[in-house]
Amino acid sequence: MKSTLRCRFVSSLVAISVAVPSAAAFLPSSTLAASPNSLNPSEIKQVQRYKEAAITMFQSLTPAEKDKLRQVRDQVTAKPLDWWRDQILQNPEVIEKLKAKDVTVEEASAMLRDMVALLYTPGDTIESLLTFKKEHYHTWTKVFGTEFKQEDLLKFAKMMQKQVAADIIMDHMLNINRPLDDIINNAIARMMKHGEFKKFGQKLAEIGITPEDVIAIRKRLVREFDPNNEVRDILIRAFARNYVDIIVHPGKLTPGKEKQVTLKVDFPGYWTIRSGIEWESSNPEVATIDAKGKLHAHKSGTTTISVKIKGVVIAQTDVTIEPENERVLSLTFSHG
């Protein structure tokens, strides 16, 4: 059953990657080479859902999560321009190529700072984008021309975050178990080399910035602004909140009984996963859950079942263990 599930999952992703080249972050390029050339109606529907996923993900952020993103944004904008010049735009070749495009280091540093801030801006994104366009239109045009617009930057970021979240789930389903940072870096490189965002990579290459440079820049920014990966985990949970759910087999659960628990993934297809993920019970005295999602009831009470992928809690549900039916002892008294 597990091997069949994997084959269907991979087949679906291969088909999607044909119609949406940026979906290449899901699969190695060697797999894409064997992709079919047409999509059936079911696969076309999956592609549409794929495009809509980014919007629903950001809508699901909680107020506290939005506040955290804004805190990071404020840290980004508070950094002086010389920090961005010395820590990020430190490659002399990049600086010279920017000058060749009539872009000063100060202009490039300011645009980069505000570009990063834009990616940490939930809720008021449109207003921030308009401000960004107004302040950096000429610099942006000199660097990227008209082929890659400012709006495309947000689209790139949202697609990136969504793809990483989905790729994490696939990684566990196929038992690849890559480190989370490797998944993120791999997705960045692929998106800059394939599909609709290839032009972004090409424009960066003109000023001497490779996908590997972008990955190195990301690492420096994470160390500075998100050292505990709080924002990364927020975005993963936001994706999971819309497309992942814990399903407990129906029926009454009493001490000494067992139930199967599965993780339902609703994107890009419909899948159920039992093993290859981390299950956890908040109250093991009430119930425990093993590596294959088997819930073991011990005594009456309530426990929270959580599922983790790459150490990130992506779904939770409460389970109640009901007390066993009490036996009633009936005594009959006779008067004699």
Side-chain angles (χ1 to χ4, degrees):
M1 176 64 182
K2 191 172 182 180
S3 60
T4 303
L5 173 63
R6 291 180 185 176
C7 290
R8 285 189 295 157
F9 190 79
V10 172
S11 298
S12 175
L13 290 175
V14 170
I16 291 172
S17 65
V18 177
V20 186
S22 59
F26 282 119
L27 294 171
S29 56
S30 59
T31 306
L32 297 178
S35 301
N37 294 318
S38 61
L39 296 176
N40 61 45
S42 175
E43 291 164 342
I44 292 173
K45 186 176 181 180
Q46 287 182 345
V47 170
Q48 185 60 36
R49 294 180 68 240
Y50 178 90
K51 292 179 179 179
E52 295 170 353
I55 299 173
T56 55
M57 180 182 73
F58 276 85
Q59 288 175 339
S60 72
L61 290 172
T62 67
E65 290 170 341
K66 289 181 179 179
D67 286 344
K68 178 59 184 178
L69 263 65
R70 292 190 182 102
Q71 289 173 18
V72 174
R73 178 195 60 190
D74 293 343
Q75 294 175 32
V76 168
T77 56
K79 286 290 184 182
L81 290 184
D82 57 0
W83 183 88
W84 292 92
R85 178 195 64 210
D86 299 337
Q87 297 296 320
I88 308 300
L89 293 176
Q90 53 182 285
N91 189 331
E93 179 188 358
V94 173
I95 293 174
E96 288 303 315
K97 289 188 175 183
L98 284 170
K99 289 180 179 179
K101 288 179 174 284
D102 195 27
V103 176
T104 67
V105 177
E106 289 72 21
E107 289 172 331
S109 298
M111 185 175 73
L112 177 60
R113 177 199 61 196
D114 294 346
M115 185 188 302
V116 173
L118 193 61
L119 302 181
Y120 289 104
T121 303
D124 47 353
T125 305
I126 299 301
E127 180 182 345
S128 299
L129 177 61
L130 292 175
T131 301
F132 179 87
K133 291 177 69 172
K134 180 179 179 181
E135 294 183 359
H136 302 291
Y137 175 79
H138 295 294
T139 304
W140 182 278
T141 304
K142 290 176 184 178
V143 175
F144 295 104
T146 58
E147 299 174 70
F148 191 83
K149 300 180 176 62
Q150 292 94 330
E151 293 87 342
D152 293 328
L153 177 65
L154 290 180
K155 186 178 179 183
F156 177 87
K158 291 179 180 180
M159 188 72 76
M160 180 74 243
Q161 291 151 352
K162 175 174 58 62
Q163 285 193 350
V164 167
D167 205 15
I168 290 169
I169 294 173
M170 187 199 76
D171 187 80
H172 268 270
M173 289 183 69
L174 301 182
N175 291 327
I176 300 173
N177 294 324
R178 293 172 293 170
L180 185 50
D181 270 355
D182 287 356
I183 291 176
I184 295 172
N185 295 337
N186 202 14
I188 290 173
R190 289 178 187 168
M191 285 188 66
M192 292 179 63
K193 294 177 181 178
H194 302 282
E196 62 181 303
F197 296 109
K198 184 177 180 179
K199 57 189 175 183
F200 182 44
Q202 291 171 338
K203 287 297 180 181
L204 288 177
E206 291 179 6
I207 57 173
I209 297 179
T210 66
E212 291 70 28
D213 293 329
V214 173
I215 291 170
I217 289 172
R218 172 193 165 269
K219 289 180 179 178
R220 287 199 292 273
L221 293 175
V222 167
R223 285 197 302 267
E224 186 69 27
F225 301 115
D226 190 29
N228 297 319
N229 294 313
E230 293 178 76
V231 171
R232 181 199 69 185
D233 294 352
I234 283 173
L235 296 174
I236 291 172
R237 285 196 298 270
F239 174 89
R241 200 170 287 137
N242 289 285
Y243 300 103
V244 174
D245 197 12
I246 295 176
I247 305 298
V248 181
H249 195 278
K252 185 177 180 180
L253 187 58
T254 56
K257 301 296 184 180
E258 298 178 349
K259 274 191 181 297
Q260 182 63 55
V261 181
T262 58
L263 182 69
K264 184 184 75 170
V265 180
D266 192 23
F267 177 86
Y270 299 91
W271 319 105
T272 55
I273 311 172
R274 296 179 181 178
S275 58
I277 50 183
E278 301 172 54
W279 294 101
E280 186 177 276
S281 170
S282 66
N283 194 347
E285 291 186 359
V286 170
T288 54
I289 186 166
D290 62 27
K292 294 185 178 181
K294 184 73 72 173
L295 185 67
H296 306 270
H298 302 307
K299 70 175 186 178
S300 61
T302 300
T303 185
T304 299
I305 300 300
S306 303
V307 62
K308 294 181 180 179
I309 290 184
K310 303 294 183 185
V312 181
V313 176
I314 62 169
Q316 291 182 314
T317 190
D318 290 334
V319 174
T320 298
I321 311 301
E322 300 182 34
E324 294 182 279
N325 293 330
E326 297 181 1
R327 295 182 179 179
V328 178
L329 180 61
S330 178
L331 299 177
T332 302
F333 296 92
S334 60
H335 300 277

